[in-house]
């Protein structure tokens, strides 16, 4: 069944009002299919088992996003090389333009040695990275930034009020405002919990 489902895939390209001829998809899975994330997880499952807990290396894999967490820059270089070799075996590669390094800990502000991919590309050290919508910042301890989500929230709220405020009744406007303020309060409370660490109870 899988072979038939994945082996007989055809697609076409739509551009404005024009359609291309149908063509066969000879590799990959259909984007947006229910099984695609599961099959991809099975395909790259070996990467999750590359590092044992006693080596001081942790790996977080979600779909095609991978985070390597190490205790030192040297360990990060080694872990990257191991991960790259495994990805090469799977006919996959790391996109160096979308990959960065971030340092968290007492020496967060210290200058770090360069991290280099197997093909010689230098990875950038960053002050902030975005993972699954969360902005993690360089700091002496784990810290997230809500600046960008907050700006995005205000843009969305202003857009809603720009459209609703002119035509909606006062009651509807108050309900929308209550919903938005509740979301903002919940967001602020979440940041307080993350900053305070375990045991925080508002």
């Amino acid at each position: 069944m899988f072979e038939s489902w994945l082996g007989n895939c055809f697609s076409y390209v739509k551009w404005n009002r024009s359609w291309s001829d149908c063509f066969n998809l000879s590799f990959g899975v259909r984007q947006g299919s229910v099984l695609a994330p599961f099959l991809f997880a099975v395909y790259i499952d070996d990467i999750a088992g590359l590092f044992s807990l006693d080596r001081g290396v942790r790996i977080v894999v979600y779909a095609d996003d991978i985070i390597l967490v190490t205790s030192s820059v040297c360990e990060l270089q080694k872990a990257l090389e191991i991960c790259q070799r495994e990805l090469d075996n799977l006919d996959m590669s790391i996109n160096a333009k979308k990959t960065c390094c971030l340092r968290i800990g007492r020496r967060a502000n210290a200058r770090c040695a360069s991290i280099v991919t197997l093909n010689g590309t230098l990875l950038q050290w960053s002050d902030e990275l975005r993972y699954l919508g969360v902005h993690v910042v360089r700091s002496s301890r784990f810290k997230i930034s809500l600046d960008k989500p907050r700006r995005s929230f205000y843009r969305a709220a202003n857009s809603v009020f720009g459209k609703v405020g002119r035509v909606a009744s006062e009651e509807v406007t108050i309900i929308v405002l209550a919903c938005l303020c509740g979301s903002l309060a919940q967001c602020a409370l979440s940041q307080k919990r993350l900053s305070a660490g375990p045991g925080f109870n508002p």
Side-chain angles (χ1 to χ4, degrees):
M1 180 177 102
F2 281 127
E3 186 176 345
S4 174
W5 180 62
L6 297 172
N8 296 314
C9 293
F10 293 88
S11 191
Y12 55 85
V13 177
K14 179 186 177 215
W15 185 44
N16 292 328
R17 293 183 181 173
S18 301
W19 302 82
S20 73
D21 293 331
C22 267
F23 55 90
N24 183 270
L25 298 177
S26 56
F27 58 89
V29 294
R30 297 178 202 178
Q31 190 170 0
S33 95
V34 175
L35 274 179
F38 175 74
L39 293 174
F40 186 76
V42 170
Y43 186 68
I44 65 165
D45 186 56
D46 290 345
I47 291 176
L50 286 175
F51 306 103
S52 60
L53 296 177
D54 59 334
R55 282 194 58 195
V57 178
R58 306 289 185 271
I59 186 166
V60 179
V61 180
Y62 182 82
D64 62 346
D65 291 322
I66 299 173
I67 290 185
L68 296 172
V69 181
T70 65
S71 56
S72 72
V73 176
C74 291
E75 280 297 322
L76 179 60
Q77 181 66 57
K78 290 177 194 171
L80 176 68
E81 291 170 6
I82 292 168
C83 197
Q84 267 193 286
R85 285 190 188 96
E86 185 63 31
L87 287 170
D88 284 344
N89 292 337
L90 297 172
D91 287 329
M92 298 176 75
S93 62
I94 290 175
N95 184 343
K97 291 179 182 175
K98 291 183 172 182
T99 304
C100 68
C101 305
L102 179 87
R103 195 165 191 181
I104 298 172
R106 288 177 305 188
R107 300 186 65 220
N109 295 321
R111 186 176 168 89
C112 295
S114 298
I115 301 295
V116 185
T117 63
L118 290 174
N119 64 2
T121 306
L122 290 176
L123 298 183
Q124 297 296 313
W125 284 95
S126 179
D127 292 333
E128 181 176 316
L129 67 84
R130 183 173 181 252
Y131 184 71
L132 303 177
V134 177
H135 295 263
V136 182
V137 295
R138 178 173 54 91
S139 180
S140 58
R141 59 192 180 110
F142 183 82
K143 185 178 175 184
I144 63 167
S145 170
L146 291 176
D147 292 341
K148 288 180 183 173
R150 190 179 292 124
R151 282 196 297 270
S152 178
F153 170 82
Y154 285 130
R155 271 195 305 273
N158 286 332
S159 175
V160 168
F161 281 124
K163 290 181 175 60
V164 173
R166 286 175 272 169
V167 294
S169 68
E170 190 175 306
E171 183 180 346
V172 169
T173 305
I174 290 171
I175 290 170
V176 170
L177 182 61
C179 290
L180 289 172
C181 288
S183 299
L184 187 60
Q186 203 170 23
C187 187
L189 190 59
S190 296
Q191 182 177 14
K192 184 69 176 169
R193 278 195 192 107
L194 279 170
S195 300
F200 174 72
N201 208 352

